[in-house]
Amino acid sequence: MPQLNLPNAVLKTKLVEGTTQVFDQVRKKYLVLTPEEWVRQNFIQYLIREKKYPESLMAVEKQIKVNGKQRRFDLLIYLRNGQPLLIA
């Protein structure tokens, strides 16, 4: 997988039984490094390192209710007042 081209930004990875895992800074755990996870983790690092967005205002891979229906999201960014700002 290519590295993120941000200054000082390198994803923290480890090899477990032949599988590369990446550390999710928001969820505080290692996950299997898939192409989708690579994109998600690089976007999270961009928001944290370049845009200075606090990880405490991020939620990753959860569900929300929209018009009475449960929907999943990859990344949800909240405002400080708890209102959603951005869904990816």
Side-chain angles (χ1 to χ4, degrees):
M1 301 256 167
Q3 292 294 321
L4 178 64
N5 293 324
L6 296 175
N8 303 317
V10 177
L11 297 178
K12 185 177 176 182
T13 61
K14 68 179 182 178
L15 194 60
V16 176
E17 298 178 4
T19 302
T20 303
Q21 295 187 353
V22 62
F23 186 73
D24 183 321
Q25 190 172 338
V26 176
R27 292 182 275 186
K28 307 289 189 226
K29 66 180 183 178
Y30 279 91
L31 306 159
V32 174
L33 183 59
T34 62
E36 177 184 0
E37 198 61 47
W38 184 90
V39 171
R40 183 175 22 251
Q41 293 305 317
N42 278 285
F43 187 50
I44 289 169
Q45 289 303 311
Y46 168 76
L47 292 171
I48 292 169
R49 294 173 186 257
E50 293 295 309
K51 296 301 181 182
K52 308 295 185 210
Y53 206 83
E55 64 190 76
S56 62
L57 295 177
M58 297 180 186
V60 180
E61 285 196 318
K62 295 197 177 185
Q63 290 186 354
I64 58 172
K65 195 173 270 194
V66 178
N67 294 328
K69 296 181 181 179
Q70 289 288 351
R71 300 289 184 202
R72 290 192 69 245
F73 60 81
D74 279 336
L75 180 64
L76 177 60
I77 307 299
Y78 292 97
L79 294 170
R80 293 200 183 277
N81 67 7
Q83 294 296 312
L85 171 66
L86 176 139
I87 295 179

